[in-house]
Amino acid sequence: MIKLTLNVNGVERMVLADPESTLAQYLREGLGLTSVKVGCGTGQCGSCSVIVDGKVVRSCSRKMGKMDDGASVTTVEGIGTPQNLHPVQLAWIAHGGAQCGFCSPGFIVSSVALLNENPKPTREDVRDWFQKHRNACRCTGYKPLVDAVMDAAAVLRGDLSREELLFKAPADGRIWGTKYPRPTAVAKVTGTLDYGADLALKMPEGTLRCALVQAEVSHAKILSIDTSEAEKMPGVFKVVTHKDVRGKNRITGLITFPSNKGDGWDRPILCDEKVFQYGDAIAIVCADTEANAKAAAAKVRVQLEQLPEYMSAPAAMADDAMQIHPGTPNIYFVQKIAKGEDTAPIFAKAPVVVEDDFYVGRQPHMPIEPDTGFAFLDEEGRLHIHSKSIGLHLHLYMIAPGLGIEPEKVIMVQNPAGGTFGYKFSPTMEALVGAACLATGRPVSLNYSWFQQQTYTGKRSPFFINLRLAADKDGKLLAMESDWSVDHGPYSEFGDLLTLRGAQFIGAGYDIPAIRGEGRTVCTNHAWGSAFRAYGSPQSEFASEVLMDELAEKLGMDPLELRYKNVYRKGATTPTGQDPEVYSLPEVLDTLRPRYEAARKQAAAASTAAVKRGVGISVGVYGCGLDGPDSSEADAELNADGTVTVFSCWEDHGQGADAGCLGTAHEALRPLGLAPEKIRLVMNDTNLAPNSGPAGGSRSQVVTGRAVAAACQALVEGLRKPGGGFRSYDEVVAAKLPLKYRGKWTAPGTACDDNAQGSPFVCYMYGIFMAEVAVELATGKTTVEKMTLVSDIGKINNRLVVDGQNYGGLAQGIGLALSEDYEDIKKHSTMVGAGFPYIKQIPDDMELLYVETPRPEGPFGASGVGELPLTCPHAAIINAIHNACGVRITRLPALPEKVLAGLKAKA
């Protein structure tokens, strides 16, 4: 134990601490300053940044024994408050810098330290600073953060007023289509919004802290689990194993296609007979402190019989491979596509045919906030589970049978979430904390380390694709043949749906009259496949967009002109035979054309003998919704003070559900003349809000947006007086009329048949990406110098949210193209090891252009946005590399050594 004095946010504190504990622990647990977030825990993400004696310090790795007596420490709580925001915080709100918001306090602290040192930085100064201090963001693409620092610096210098940063409503009061700040923005920039680990710290005395016992092999038979030594460890209350789970001890995929050879009950809550992947949970130690729980977890003895590990689809498909789940073949689902006439005769006669093999791998989601959650029983015996879930009602029904509890006895709540990007479409820790709570009868909390985040949670499922295109001599597409294998890891949930996405999106965007193909879902022992932004399209469209460039090369055509000739126009249909709801891709391409032509000229002029520059493009398309008649519900209620409350489970994983819900509700309630601050949101609690469906597949703005609009419109009509005007609350009560209305909307879509033909989505998103890159010939290193996205996502609800989604998606696409991977479990378990893109890997030059074609089925003409920016930017980058230096990469990521090998082979 050491004793020292620290000045924290201007207050002198006597500190008694373990010298090996961290400054982050002291600030969070000792002083309750939970703006200090612990993300990676290893100094690689900067979310824990504080200022110590004027210098930015990552507090998760600063030991208390290394702190100087009398040191001054500043956290974001000492920079500004909700009532008195610092210019950096104001600018962060104005530019939409806080998306999920988890990293915002660390960035803001770091920015203040920069501006104290350099009051007039350049944009490159800001980028260098964030790179040096390892401030990492997964949501924003960094550009809005640099914009914010530049404006904050101007305010501090007196070149810009604070008022100029504040949102100004238009004269008519309408916020639809504006940059109205997110309702959660102030709480995020001041560190007053509590995320899961913050709430867990504030749980009552008697809460048990959990640690997992996890598998350190990828496939094994469990012979025995010995908890006796662990149970003797200090502070241990109980060690929970599969024997303590009351129900089936399985998580069900819930939605399983009829031709799936599995039953969807293949994922254990706690492993009983086998280990199926590295990181699988075998036991949960529940103790008085997290340190005691972790120490005891190390004492649990698990005896295993190692089995062959099938770490890729080809390995698991081999003739001699054993069944990973006995009784279910490793290839457990097959999806065919058959559109138009037979393709074989067309290919036999086609003047031009191109074919290639493609691989898009196991991209990790890499949120800065690791998975976290807690559970407790209320006075009525109902189980409450708080987590980062983006499918509250979905997860409730997926885990209740496994836990052995009736669904109506389970309440799911989403905590403010530090980004998910789709991995929380699958339950991760929900069933674990539920099982621990039921087994102990006590409140429990569980926080993953970042290593556990990487090794336990799902990843993007790799696709192995062979693709052929046939065209006439003028470049008109005649036919396509596809074969794809999906490595979905050991657990089948949503694997059949993902394989269907291959049929829906390979070749999307183009009029291809004849298509034949077959895909299959394969069970392996690598990380289980979970949803990831743009679900299935980054794998599918990468193949068709790179092959389109190969076709253009073979034809001697410009890649943009080839695409322009073939994109959807009236009479064309999607790969599933559906008429697109709008035909805006020609306009989208025309919008890009002058920028494309200028970029090609500039790249040619700027290339040198050492560095070659190139330009590449790709088309991106994605649907909004779950296939077929997707539906959602929301409620709207008039309150006694004249305000309106909207209830929905429009889950938020950083994409801006609060802004989406508010903007949609405000637009629907405009006849009442309500200011946006008069609309209250009650969101993401299954006990309070109806089933809005999961927040995935860019469905929320369309499907839940229509439900929110329907509820609000029903309320407006219910308040309307026959002679004009609207009833007050008292008049409604006096007339005994309803105060609360439910809105429900079901998409008029049809699910795809066995040949993938149907009308699965009523709204789509369309875009074209342009990448400008530089390739160093000596090293093979690729730098993306500019990204441009022209998109049609219908009418825009909130421009800050939409811009932020697009910037962030482009950044993730750059990572997917060049660095991100989760193949080597040990090597790729850290942010740096997995290729996380920091600010200097992302260009400051990103241009967004919009073609706003109103959607007939979208609320007020809106479509979705979240998936679009990650559909296919990586293909544009790969096409740009080829344009620059003649090397074509077909297996991602395009690491420097791959490009260099291509250059040497070419030479």
Side-chain angles (χ1 to χ4, degrees):
M1 187 76 74
I2 58 168
K3 172 184 169 293
L4 68 157
T5 299
L6 296 179
N7 185 297
V8 182
N9 295 329
V11 178
E12 202 165 88
R13 304 275 187 178
M14 180 190 291
V15 181
L16 302 171
D18 178 343
E20 289 302 303
S21 66
T22 66
L23 178 58
Q25 286 175 294
Y26 168 68
L27 294 170
R28 286 177 56 78
E29 299 169 26
L31 297 183
L33 296 174
T34 51
S35 76
V36 180
K37 309 300 182 193
V38 177
C40 66
T42 56
Q44 294 184 13
C45 77
S47 64
C48 64
S49 295
V50 298
I51 300 171
V52 177
D53 292 334
K55 302 295 182 185
V56 179
V57 166
R58 281 161 268 169
S59 62
C60 78
S61 52
R62 174 62 63 92
K63 295 289 177 68
M64 290 301 287
K66 297 290 186 182
M67 292 296 293
D68 293 333
D69 190 40
S72 173
V73 180
T74 303
T75 70
V76 85
E77 288 92 343
I79 286 170
T81 66
Q83 295 75 32
N84 186 22
L85 295 169
H86 187 280
V88 172
Q89 293 166 318
L90 270 178
W92 228 256
I93 294 170
H95 288 282
Q99 287 191 28
C100 86
F102 188 81
C103 69
S104 295
F107 265 100
I108 288 166
V109 165
S110 186
S111 301
V112 169
L114 163 65
L115 297 179
N116 287 343
E117 195 173 294
N118 179 3
K120 198 170 183 179
T122 65
R123 296 186 70 87
E124 209 53 35
D125 289 338
V126 178
R127 287 163 55 79
D128 288 342
W129 181 272
F130 288 151
Q131 183 77 18
K132 173 185 173 183
H133 293 288
R134 278 288 195 259
N135 289 112
C137 179
R138 190 62 164 159
C139 295
T140 64
Y142 299 107
K143 183 181 184 298
L145 311 185
V146 181
D147 293 341
V149 176
M150 298 303 288
D151 272 359
V155 171
L156 288 166
R157 293 193 308 268
D159 298 338
L160 188 73
S161 72
R162 294 171 64 96
E163 288 67 33
E164 288 175 273
L165 289 178
L166 299 176
F167 174 77
K168 295 167 189 65
D172 63 0
R174 190 182 194 191
I175 64 168
W176 183 271
T178 69
K179 292 185 174 183
Y180 188 84
R182 297 178 190 227
T184 50
V186 170
K188 286 172 176 173
V189 302
T190 56
T192 54
L193 186 69
D194 282 335
Y195 295 78
D198 307 329
L199 291 164
L201 279 180
K202 298 166 186 179
M203 290 177 74
E205 191 176 349
T207 297
L208 297 172
R209 309 301 174 175
C210 299
L212 297 184
V213 178
Q214 292 176 274
E216 296 180 5
V217 297
S218 296
H219 196 197
K221 183 178 179 181
I222 296 176
L223 303 178
S224 65
I225 303 170
D226 181 0
T227 63
S228 57
E229 287 302 309
E231 287 163 348
K232 298 173 189 173
M233 292 287 287
V236 171
F237 183 85
K238 185 174 179 62
V239 181
V240 180
T241 69
H242 66 89
K243 295 176 183 177
D244 300 295
V245 181
R246 301 175 187 175
K248 297 180 70 164
N249 189 36
R250 291 293 182 275
I251 294 168
T252 172
L254 204 62
I255 308 163
T256 304
F257 290 12
S259 57
N260 191 316
K261 294 175 183 175
D263 62 6
W265 291 94
D266 48 29
R267 177 148 73 104
I269 295 173
L270 289 169
C271 292
D272 38 30
E273 298 174 352
K274 283 181 74 176
V275 163
F276 297 100
Q277 68 163 29
Y278 190 99
D280 266 349
I282 298 171
I284 310 168
V285 177
C286 306
D288 58 347
T289 68
E290 191 172 307
N292 282 341
K294 287 180 176 178
K299 297 292 185 180
V300 174
R301 298 288 171 251
V302 183
Q303 189 177 0
L304 301 172
E305 177 188 320
Q306 187 90 35
L307 297 171
E309 297 178 345
Y310 303 107
M311 302 300 279
S312 69
M317 292 162 64
D319 292 338
D320 61 349
M322 68 184 293
Q323 290 183 344
I324 292 170
H325 293 280
T328 301
N330 290 347
I331 301 173
Y332 58 88
F333 177 73
V334 173
Q335 175 68 57
K336 294 183 181 295
I337 180 168
K339 175 190 174 184
E341 60 185 273
D342 185 21
T343 55
I346 300 173
F347 272 91
K349 296 178 182 177
V352 185
V353 173
V354 288
E355 179 178 1
D356 211 337
D357 294 306
F358 301 92
Y359 175 78
V360 175
R362 209 169 266 101
Q363 185 185 19
H365 301 71
M366 297 196 282
I368 308 298
E369 180 198 36
D371 213 15
T372 181
F374 53 86
F376 60 91
L377 293 165
D378 66 16
E379 286 71 16
E380 298 173 37
R382 296 179 300 178
L383 176 65
H384 293 243
I385 298 174
H386 285 237
S387 71
K388 292 175 68 173
S389 168
I390 58 169
L392 294 169
H393 288 85
L394 177 71
H395 290 174
L396 188 158
Y397 291 104
M398 288 176 73
I399 68 174
L403 291 173
I405 187 169
E406 294 300 315
E408 57 270 21
K409 286 281 193 179
V410 182
I411 293 167
M412 303 288 292
V413 179
Q414 189 197 30
N415 295 325
T420 90
F421 313 106
Y423 86 92
K424 287 300 301 184
F425 202 93
S426 292
T428 52
M429 62 162 47
E430 285 78 5
L432 297 175
V433 293
C437 180
L438 291 171
T440 61
R442 297 267 291 273
V444 299
S445 76
L446 175 61
N447 296 323
Y448 285 6
S449 66
W450 212 83
F451 177 83
Q452 288 176 306
Q453 173 71 36
Q454 281 293 83
T455 55
Y456 180 76
T457 62
K459 303 290 177 284
R460 190 182 296 287
S461 295
F463 277 35
F464 298 80
I465 300 179
N466 174 265
L467 191 61
R468 302 176 76 206
L469 289 173
D472 66 19
K473 285 184 286 188
D474 296 323
K476 186 75 181 82
L477 292 173
L478 303 174
M480 182 175 79
E481 291 180 347
S482 53
D483 182 274
W484 68 103
S485 298
V486 178
D487 177 346
H488 200 57
Y491 304 127
S492 67
E493 61 199 48
F494 317 126
D496 40 21
L497 180 65
L498 177 60
T499 305
L500 172 61
R501 291 289 181 264
Q504 292 166 337
F505 294 117
I506 298 173
Y510 303 111
D511 180 20
I512 308 175
I515 301 175
R516 291 294 183 276
E518 181 178 292
R520 61 207 59 84
T521 323
V522 185
C523 181
T524 73
N525 292 117
H526 215 309
W528 99 68
S530 64
F532 194 159
R533 188 181 205 160
Y535 194 56
S537 66
Q539 303 97 312
S540 303
E541 294 176 19
F542 176 74
S544 46
E545 285 304 307
V546 174
L547 199 61
M548 282 293 282
D549 258 40
E550 293 187 41
L551 178 60
E553 184 179 22
K554 194 165 187 177
L555 287 162
M557 281 185 74
D558 181 272
L560 187 143
E561 298 309 328
L562 176 65
R563 287 170 171 85
Y564 193 79
K565 180 183 285 286
N566 287 286
V567 291
Y568 299 148
R569 290 176 176 83
K570 196 72 176 171
T573 58
T574 70
T576 72
Q578 179 179 8
D579 292 328
E581 85 287 31
V582 296
Y583 297 89
S584 58
L585 274 170
E587 184 182 353
V588 168
L589 281 158
D590 280 334
T591 302
L592 181 72
R593 189 188 304 274
R595 289 168 173 80
Y596 170 74
E597 291 169 353
R600 294 278 286 228
K601 288 178 184 174
Q602 184 179 343
S607 289
T608 66
V611 178
K612 298 297 182 184
R613 286 176 166 80
V615 179
I617 60 171
S618 61
V619 168
V621 179
Y622 204 73
C624 299
L626 304 178
D627 301 58
D630 188 7
S631 64
S632 186
E633 297 178 346
D635 292 341
E637 182 177 24
L638 179 67
N639 303 314
D641 60 359
T643 61
V644 170
T645 300
V646 177
F647 302 82
S648 82
C649 283
W650 182 335
E651 295 94 349
D652 196 340
H653 38 142
Q655 86 282 18
D658 56 338
C661 188
L662 178 65
T664 306
H666 186 261
E667 186 70 3
L669 293 168
R670 283 188 75 213
L672 300 182
L674 286 178
E677 56 269 21
K678 298 294 185 182
I679 300 171
R680 179 173 172 243
L681 305 180
V682 174
M683 302 177 71
N684 301 325
D685 183 330
T686 63
N687 194 41
L688 301 175
N691 187 352
S692 303
S698 285
R699 66 180 293 281
S700 295
Q701 180 61 71
V702 173
V703 186
T704 301
R706 282 293 298 263
V708 168
C712 293
Q713 288 162 347
L715 175 62
V716 169
E717 291 310 308
L719 299 180
R720 197 181 295 277
K721 293 179 181 178
F726 297 95
R727 296 179 179 90
S728 68
Y729 177 89
D730 291 338
E731 288 171 326
V732 172
V733 172
K736 297 183 178 178
L737 294 171
L739 290 163
K740 191 172 188 177
Y741 291 83
R742 174 151 296 179
K744 182 172 182 178
W745 188 74
T746 300
T750 59
C752 291
D753 63 19
D754 290 344
N755 285 319
Q757 298 303 286
S759 300
F761 312 112
V762 298
C763 289
Y764 285 83
M765 302 165 282
Y766 305 95
I768 184 156
F769 303 89
M770 182 171 73
E772 299 172 49
V773 308
V775 181
E776 293 178 6
L777 298 188
T779 63
K781 180 185 176 184
T782 300
T783 301
V784 179
E785 298 188 323
K786 182 177 181 180
M787 289 296 296
T788 303
L789 169 58
V790 184
S791 63
D792 180 6
I793 56 163
K795 301 302 288 183
I796 291 174
N797 175 349
N798 185 299
R799 286 189 174 269
L800 275 183
V801 169
V802 166
D803 284 354
Q805 284 293 283
N806 282 329
Y807 289 134
L810 291 174
Q812 289 179 333
I814 293 167
L816 176 59
L818 299 179
S819 62
E820 295 179 29
D821 203 5
Y822 183 71
E823 190 60 38
D824 185 319
I825 291 170
K826 299 276 179 20
K827 178 181 175 183
H828 296 151
S829 63
T830 67
M831 291 179 69
V832 172
F836 186 99
Y838 290 93
I839 193 167
K840 295 304 287 282
Q841 281 77 58
I842 306 300
D844 193 38
D845 195 354
M846 291 198 275
E847 185 176 12
L848 305 177
L849 301 158
Y850 296 101
V851 173
E852 294 188 62
T853 311
R855 297 302 196 269
E857 296 293 347
F860 311 113
S863 191
V865 61
E867 322 293 329
L868 177 70
L870 193 46
T871 51
C872 219
H874 48 303
I877 294 164
I878 295 305
N879 289 337
I881 292 172
H882 181 267
N883 178 248
C885 65
V887 173
R888 189 161 326 264
I889 302 296
T890 57
R891 295 178 62 88
L892 296 183
L895 299 170
E897 53 265 33
K898 288 186 187 177
V899 177
L900 191 58
L903 287 167
K904 288 178 179 175
K906 200 160 114 357

